Amino acid sequence: AEKDQPEGFISFMEGMRCARAGDHFRASEYLDISAAQMDDDYPRAVAATLSFVNRIYTFYDTRQFPSSDLESVLVRLTSSKFAVARDYWDLSSHLRIVLKYCAARGADEEGYEWLAARVADLLGEYSAGSAIRREPISARFSDISSRELAFRALLSGDIPLPSAEALRSTSRDRTIMWVNKVREGTESAIVVITLSPGDERPHINSVILRSVEAREAIDEAMAANLDDSVDKVSRLRDWMFQRSIDTTFPLMIIPDRHLWALPWEAIIPEHISSITLMPSASAARRIVTQQTSAIPIVAGVFD
């Protein structure tokens, strides 16, 4: 009987009924209530995750993503330890939908350009920063699974939505460049967000990969199979560096997890002498502000 279930279960089930009926807006409202009533991290994270997914479906159906509403939805998601629910639903594709929309609107409207950079950094944190990619556990009671569950509990911390102020502070002495591959209808697109020291707002450019040759070039580069073709490397450079980079400052590149294998040392323009690849600007900020231990400590995390 539902009345015997933990608080929040009835709202969760009502939200799932609305989702199955196609009423994604009401589903997200019920799931928000459910997440607020849950005491444990995992069910709360699942409810918050499904609320976010249904809210994105609502926005996607109406083609209207008000920046204030998107920020509110993202804050609710990230305040619920959503990475804990990763085995239930990988949100990378949904975050890319938000990123693509914000990047498209950010070229003309204030508010979206900063939100695009913040979502890109959140995506980096989720994909390769605070959270790591994990496959679902099939045998929870085996010794290996028990160790994996304990390790997962160690790594599944909070991943907050970074603020514009935090990103601007990180870019005071370096240029930050987020590079993501997203879907643009039936085609792919490369979205590059650049934030240089002193910029009032991030600069966004998007390149749609319409030709077969363009898609093949990026696929080969992502698979680390790109040959020594000067033309292909030059094409990648043209996509990534449409905005000139101030060589006075070091460059920090934050690739989408699909783009880590790109030959970045060959792609960067010759006049850029210092580059760093990071999973997110937030990760770089944590490293910079890390206090030095009285006793040096080295921690290794291995596959």
Side-chain angles (χ1 to χ4, degrees), residues 218-237:
I218 198 69
D219 288 343
E220 289 176 10
M222 287 166 53
N225 293 325
L226 192 67
D227 56 29
D228 295 330
S229 170
V230 176
D231 290 340
K232 291 182 180 179
V233 172
S234 177
R235 181 178 297 175
L236 291 174
R237 185 182 300 116

Side-chain angles (χ1 to χ4, degrees), residues 10-32:
I10 296 176
S11 298
F12 182 87
M13 294 306 299
E14 190 61 36
M16 296 305 292
R17 292 189 191 102
C18 291
R20 285 193 292 269
D23 190 346
H24 299 296
F25 182 77
R26 289 191 64 202
S28 62
E29 289 189 324
Y30 276 114
L31 290 165
D32 281 341

